[in-house]
Amino acid sequence: MTERRRHHPSPRRHSRTRQITPRTHWLLLSVLAVTLSAALLLQGYTHHMFGISSDDVTGARGRNDMVPSQVVHGGPVIANAATSAHTARVKARTIALTFDDGPDPVWTPRILDVLRRNHVHATFFVVGTQVVAHPELVRRIVADGNQIGIHTFTHPDLARLAPWQRSLELRETQLAVAGAAGVTTALLRPPYSSENDALDNADWSVLEQADAAGYVTVLSTRDAEDWQRPGVDRILANTTPHGHAGQIVLMHDAGGDRSQTVAALSALVPRLKAQGFKFATVSDAVGMAAPVQPAGFGEHLQGLALVKVLQGGDWAVWLLGVLMYAAGVISVLRAVVVVIAARRHRRLRNSRRGRSWGPPVTAPVSVIVPAYNESAGIEAAVRSLLASDHPVEIIVVDDGSTDGTADLVESLRLPVRVIRQQNAGKPAALNTGLAAATCDLVVMVDGDTVFEPNTVRTIVQPFADPRVGAVSGNAKVVNRGGMLGRWQHIEYVVGFNLDRRLFDLAECMPTVPGAVGAFRRRALLDLGGVSDVTLAEDTDLTMALCRDGWRVVYEEGAKAWTEAPASLNALWRQRYRWCYGTLQAMWKHRGALVQRGAAGKLGRRGLVYLLLFQVLLPLLAPVVDIFALYGLLFLDPVRIIGLWLAFLLLQLMMGLYAFRLDGERAGPLWSLPLQQFVYRQLMYLVVIQSVFTAVSGSRLRWQRMERYGSLQAPVGAGAPNSDPFAQEPGFPQPAPYDAPQQSAPYYDSSQQPAPYGGFPNPAPYDGFPQPPPHDGFRQPAPYETTQWY
């Protein structure tokens, strides 16, 4: 029998809504990703590639035949190294105090205090990373009348760097000083340098390049060796000159505990003053023209930008670390909660099987199959339903298909009711089937899904409990061949089904999947049918039932085999619709957060769980990936890999337990590590896209899913003897019917039960009186666009 229903489109909110796919946010995300990556690379380079260490770490020097003799035997201040090198000596009875490696927030202020109390000035050779971290100290150094020189940006041995790295080190330090204090300096002290006679050929190449960049190199004549912490007396001995010759004294105001330096300096300055020495900056000590000048406006702005970017990088790394640990804690917490809940759910169900849900439910069931261009799989779906061991009436609602779906079903000449209507969308098709159903219990199944013989009987048994308004079945992936199929199979078993056990236990089930779900017809009619205001009509409907006081449960024994997307593009479209529709449903039912009873459980348990683990946690996933890459490059890669392996082990343990619960072979779990590098990124990008779409107020349009024809019709009901779960070559076939109380698989003709397992099979339409129309039922007007099933 075929019925034709014509719906006259009327203007609706959906047709008036401008449907666009936002693109601007991807550009924004790309810019943010590039900016963050650049900041992290710079931050990682400046903080972890080199660093302040003892002055003797570079070991012995090489040959020095390229170093001019006048430099080897000359003064400690070297100019014009690239052309005609000459040096300058410190004036007699003059001491130029110099401090390397700062500024330091603890020791630099104490040294400045000593200098101020004694009314002397010194020269500070600053490290760029320290300038960025403490720009206020650089300003204080300058404000106190002291002189600034540069000591590179990350304190590397310049002789061991490529020329471009040397230029980068000098230029970035100069910009940092310009940004922090508004001055530039021509004074340079290379890290790990000492006196003139210690220069080798590699060092000389550094001085030549520095001279070409406009720098004067300042070495030392006396080294306090305070980095060794030899004691105050030893530092005093190392810094006290012998005779009246002027000296450039090397000390440190950072790089470790400098308490001995501060104590020695407090004693050194008064002692030398008493001996007739005077103290001066390097330039004053050698009679050099002012090497420190105000920075130009442009250079000051560039310096400020550099300081802010690096400070932002430090903040970003701190925030990424916090978010990564938060994501890790949330993931571990979820794993523990889900596994404990699944274990408890299993115990309760096993104990319940002895007494069941109540008296066996034997009443016939209406099965609604909404179909739009489902010719590839509709025959297998219909024949699997006819092979059920429970009495069913099957209603196929053809929603304006253009591929002959309805004609195909009619040509099978099976006891199936076919209703044709103009294309109006899946919710409208479900409502059409709901209006035509003659049974009190209805099962909704997608046109790309096949049932096992006992699925209908199993899924309706919980209705023996009058509180139950809907039952979620166990959807399983049939096309598991290929890597993408395996990954989705893992997700269905580990993710979806473990979550449903938790939701069932917590009485806050948010979704009965469209592939396999059962409902009380009157409960749906009381709600006005299936709503079309979201793209996830199954989630919206389930949440509405929970808020209406109905219990929604999970029956893992009711298995349905569905086609999963076989390409990344198709998977993206499906998950984008799911995620966006779920966000719509969550927003629509947000009032449940403050309600009591069943609605409150949905709100404060179900919605919070969805927000935390299906929205916020995926949004944090990119943070984990970015920080992992940062850690591999700049932190301890062994530790990062160890953390990743620990996280993978946690997922594997969850997977093994979930597969055991579902009676699945654990073989596909070998692909779990690979899932972390493609599938996981796709899933969190879907969430990002969905969130931006929702926030922007754009409306996602419906599209049609691809069908692949991987489903095959079961034996019986006029079908050929074939395997309904035929896989691609090499796919390990699970044993899908090993669960307790499982009926014989319908692909074995020798064990095939009668079509309805002993129940009398009434005529499809004569035995079920049509109930009167429900006053609250509202058939939504059709969409004007092709819908997505």
Side-chain angles (χ1 to χ4, degrees), residues 489-508:
H489 169 47
I490 293 173
E491 183 182 26
Y492 271 65
V493 175
V494 179
F496 299 160
N497 289 340
L498 280 183
D499 280 348
R500 289 193 180 102
R501 287 178 168 90
L502 173 63
F503 292 140
D504 188 0
L505 197 65
E507 299 183 8
C508 60

mmCIF file of all heavy atoms in Angstrom, residues 489-508:
data_model
loop_
_atom_site.group_PDB
_atom_site.id
_atom_site.type_symbol
_atom_site.label_atom_id
_atom_site.label_comp_id
_atom_site.label_asym_id
_atom_site.label_seq_id
_atom_site.Cartn_x
_atom_site.Cartn_y
_atom_site.Cartn_z
ATOM 1 N N HIS A 489 34.542 3.037 14.342
ATOM 2 C CA HIS A 489 34.128 1.873 15.142
ATOM 3 C C HIS A 489 34.600 2.021 16.584
ATOM 4 O O HIS A 489 33.838 1.799 17.534
ATOM 5 C CB HIS A 489 34.705 0.615 14.492
ATOM 6 C CG HIS A 489 34.595 -0.617 15.337
ATOM 7 N ND1 HIS A 489 33.439 -0.985 15.988
ATOM 8 C CD2 HIS A 489 35.529 -1.579 15.643
ATOM 9 C CE1 HIS A 489 33.641 -2.115 16.652
ATOM 10 N NE2 HIS A 489 34.900 -2.479 16.470
ATOM 11 N N ILE A 490 35.864 2.429 16.761
ATOM 12 C CA ILE A 490 36.382 2.649 18.112
ATOM 13 C C ILE A 490 35.597 3.741 18.819
ATOM 14 O O ILE A 490 35.248 3.610 20.005
ATOM 15 C CB ILE A 490 37.883 3.010 18.036
ATOM 16 C CG1 ILE A 490 38.706 1.828 17.547
ATOM 17 C CG2 ILE A 490 38.390 3.480 19.395
ATOM 18 C CD1 ILE A 490 40.158 2.158 17.279
ATOM 19 N N GLU A 491 35.302 4.814 18.107
ATOM 20 C CA GLU A 491 34.578 5.922 18.728
ATOM 21 C C GLU A 491 33.185 5.498 19.158
ATOM 22 O O GLU A 491 32.713 5.868 20.240
ATOM 23 C CB GLU A 491 34.492 7.093 17.755
ATOM 24 C CG GLU A 491 33.818 8.319 18.346
ATOM 25 C CD GLU A 491 33.705 9.453 17.353
ATOM 26 O OE1 GLU A 491 33.674 9.178 16.139
ATOM 27 O OE2 GLU A 491 33.635 10.609 17.778
ATOM 28 N N TYR A 492 32.494 4.727 18.329
ATOM 29 C CA TYR A 492 31.153 4.273 18.683
ATOM 30 C C TYR A 492 31.190 3.402 19.929
ATOM 31 O O TYR A 492 30.359 3.558 20.834
ATOM 32 C CB TYR A 492 30.543 3.484 17.516
ATOM 33 C CG TYR A 492 29.787 4.324 16.517
ATOM 34 C CD1 TYR A 492 30.435 5.271 15.736
ATOM 35 C CD2 TYR A 492 28.414 4.170 16.348
ATOM 36 C CE1 TYR A 492 29.745 6.037 14.816
ATOM 37 C CE2 TYR A 492 27.713 4.931 15.433
ATOM 38 C CZ TYR A 492 28.377 5.867 14.667
ATOM 39 O OH TYR A 492 27.689 6.635 13.763
ATOM 40 N N VAL A 493 32.138 2.488 19.994
ATOM 41 C CA VAL A 493 32.181 1.547 21.117
ATOM 42 C C VAL A 493 32.711 2.216 22.381
ATOM 43 O O VAL A 493 32.135 2.081 23.462
ATOM 44 C CB VAL A 493 33.052 0.320 20.752
ATOM 45 C CG1 VAL A 493 33.195 -0.601 21.958
ATOM 46 C CG2 VAL A 493 32.433 -0.435 19.591
ATOM 47 N N VAL A 494 33.816 2.963 22.244
ATOM 48 C CA VAL A 494 34.476 3.521 23.425
ATOM 49 C C VAL A 494 33.824 4.819 23.867
ATOM 50 O O VAL A 494 33.629 5.059 25.058
ATOM 51 C CB VAL A 494 35.975 3.755 23.149
ATOM 52 C CG1 VAL A 494 36.660 4.347 24.371
ATOM 53 C CG2 VAL A 494 36.647 2.452 22.741
ATOM 54 N N GLY A 495 33.497 5.674 22.909
ATOM 55 C CA GLY A 495 32.959 6.980 23.261
ATOM 56 C C GLY A 495 31.464 6.966 23.506
ATOM 57 O O GLY A 495 30.983 7.168 24.628
ATOM 58 N N PHE A 496 30.713 6.699 22.462
ATOM 59 C CA PHE A 496 29.261 6.826 22.543
ATOM 60 C C PHE A 496 28.642 5.859 23.540
ATOM 61 O O PHE A 496 27.831 6.248 24.381
ATOM 62 C CB PHE A 496 28.636 6.608 21.164
ATOM 63 C CG PHE A 496 29.097 7.600 20.134
ATOM 64 C CD1 PHE A 496 28.983 7.325 18.780
ATOM 65 C CD2 PHE A 496 29.652 8.815 20.502
ATOM 66 C CE1 PHE A 496 29.404 8.233 17.825
ATOM 67 C CE2 PHE A 496 30.082 9.725 19.561
ATOM 68 C CZ PHE A 496 29.952 9.430 18.214
ATOM 69 N N ASN A 497 29.016 4.583 23.461
ATOM 70 C CA ASN A 497 28.334 3.593 24.289
ATOM 71 C C ASN A 497 28.743 3.664 25.753
ATOM 72 O O ASN A 497 27.915 3.434 26.644
ATOM 73 C CB ASN A 497 28.581 2.188 23.731
ATOM 74 C CG ASN A 497 27.843 1.954 22.424
ATOM 75 O OD1 ASN A 497 26.883 2.667 22.124
ATOM 76 N ND2 ASN A 497 28.291 0.993 21.640
ATOM 77 N N LEU A 498 30.008 3.984 26.034
ATOM 78 C CA LEU A 498 30.380 4.181 27.435
ATOM 79 C C LEU A 498 29.644 5.381 28.021
ATOM 80 O O LEU A 498 29.179 5.348 29.164
ATOM 81 C CB LEU A 498 31.887 4.386 27.559
ATOM 82 C CG LEU A 498 32.772 3.138 27.528
ATOM 83 C CD1 LEU A 498 34.225 3.526 27.736
ATOM 84 C CD2 LEU A 498 32.354 2.126 28.580
ATOM 85 N N ASP A 499 29.548 6.453 27.250
ATOM 86 C CA ASP A 499 28.820 7.632 27.720
ATOM 87 C C ASP A 499 27.360 7.300 27.984
ATOM 88 O O ASP A 499 26.779 7.765 28.974
ATOM 89 C CB ASP A 499 28.917 8.755 26.694
ATOM 90 C CG ASP A 499 30.242 9.500 26.775
ATOM 91 O OD1 ASP A 499 30.967 9.296 27.759
ATOM 92 O OD2 ASP A 499 30.541 10.280 25.854
ATOM 93 N N ARG A 500 26.739 6.496 27.102
ATOM 94 C CA ARG A 500 25.317 6.176 27.294
ATOM 95 C C ARG A 500 25.096 5.361 28.565
ATOM 96 O O ARG A 500 24.074 5.510 29.231
ATOM 97 C CB ARG A 500 24.783 5.435 26.072
ATOM 98 C CG ARG A 500 24.650 6.336 24.851
ATOM 99 C CD ARG A 500 23.829 5.672 23.759
ATOM 100 N NE ARG A 500 23.747 6.577 22.612
ATOM 101 C CZ ARG A 500 24.464 6.461 21.511
ATOM 102 N NH1 ARG A 500 25.308 5.460 21.379
ATOM 103 N NH2 ARG A 500 24.333 7.318 20.510
ATOM 104 N N ARG A 501 26.028 4.521 28.899
ATOM 105 C CA ARG A 501 25.899 3.783 30.167
ATOM 106 C C ARG A 501 25.943 4.751 31.350
ATOM 107 O O ARG A 501 25.200 4.602 32.318
ATOM 108 C CB ARG A 501 27.023 2.747 30.278
ATOM 109 C CG ARG A 501 26.832 1.550 29.347
ATOM 110 C CD ARG A 501 28.005 0.573 29.473
ATOM 111 N NE ARG A 501 27.719 -0.690 28.821
ATOM 112 C CZ ARG A 501 27.987 -0.972 27.557
ATOM 113 N NH1 ARG A 501 28.565 -0.044 26.798
ATOM 114 N NH2 ARG A 501 27.692 -2.141 27.042
ATOM 115 N N LEU A 502 26.822 5.741 31.261
ATOM 116 C CA LEU A 502 26.890 6.749 32.327
ATOM 117 C C LEU A 502 25.608 7.559 32.388
ATOM 118 O O LEU A 502 25.057 7.795 33.472
ATOM 119 C CB LEU A 502 28.085 7.671 32.080
ATOM 120 C CG LEU A 502 28.211 8.887 32.999
ATOM 121 C CD1 LEU A 502 28.413 8.459 34.446
ATOM 122 C CD2 LEU A 502 29.362 9.781 32.548
ATOM 123 N N PHE A 503 25.119 8.005 31.235
ATOM 124 C CA PHE A 503 23.888 8.792 31.199
ATOM 125 C C PHE A 503 22.706 7.993 31.737
ATOM 126 O O PHE A 503 21.846 8.534 32.432
ATOM 127 C CB PHE A 503 23.593 9.240 29.768
ATOM 128 C CG PHE A 503 24.562 10.247 29.218
ATOM 129 C CD1 PHE A 503 25.003 10.176 27.902
ATOM 130 C CD2 PHE A 503 25.048 11.266 30.011
ATOM 131 C CE1 PHE A 503 25.890 11.103 27.390
ATOM 132 C CE2 PHE A 503 25.942 12.205 29.513
ATOM 133 C CZ PHE A 503 26.358 12.121 28.193
ATOM 134 N N ASP A 504 22.650 6.714 31.392
ATOM 135 C CA ASP A 504 21.561 5.865 31.882
ATOM 136 C C ASP A 504 21.613 5.781 33.395
ATOM 137 O O ASP A 504 20.592 5.946 34.084
ATOM 138 C CB ASP A 504 21.690 4.477 31.249
ATOM 139 C CG ASP A 504 20.490 3.576 31.550
ATOM 140 O OD1 ASP A 504 19.564 4.030 32.253
ATOM 141 O OD2 ASP A 504 20.478 2.434 31.069
ATOM 142 N N LEU A 505 22.804 5.560 33.937
ATOM 143 C CA LEU A 505 22.955 5.451 35.383
ATOM 144 C C LEU A 505 22.591 6.760 36.075
ATOM 145 O O LEU A 505 21.981 6.759 37.153
ATOM 146 C CB LEU A 505 24.392 5.056 35.706
ATOM 147 C CG LEU A 505 24.665 4.502 37.094
ATOM 148 C CD1 LEU A 505 23.957 3.172 37.285
ATOM 149 C CD2 LEU A 505 26.168 4.327 37.303
ATOM 150 N N ALA A 506 22.959 7.882 35.471
ATOM 151 C CA ALA A 506 22.696 9.196 36.066
ATOM 152 C C ALA A 506 21.324 9.742 35.705
ATOM 153 O O ALA A 506 20.971 10.848 36.136
ATOM 154 C CB ALA A 506 23.768 10.191 35.609
ATOM 155 N N GLU A 507 20.554 9.001 34.916
ATOM 156 C CA GLU A 507 19.201 9.397 34.508
ATOM 157 C C GLU A 507 19.200 10.763 33.817
ATOM 158 O O GLU A 507 18.394 11.639 34.143
ATOM 159 C CB GLU A 507 18.260 9.403 35.717
ATOM 160 C CG GLU A 507 18.121 8.051 36.391
ATOM 161 C CD GLU A 507 17.128 8.074 37.541
ATOM 162 O OE1 GLU A 507 16.443 9.103 37.708
ATOM 163 O OE2 GLU A 507 17.038 7.070 38.261
ATOM 164 N N CYS A 508 20.116 10.910 32.864
ATOM 165 C CA CYS A 508 20.199 12.188 32.153
ATOM 166 C C CYS A 508 20.570 11.978 30.687
ATOM 167 O O CYS A 508 21.372 12.727 30.130
ATOM 168 C CB CYS A 508 21.216 13.102 32.829
ATOM 169 S SG CYS A 508 22.901 12.431 32.878
#
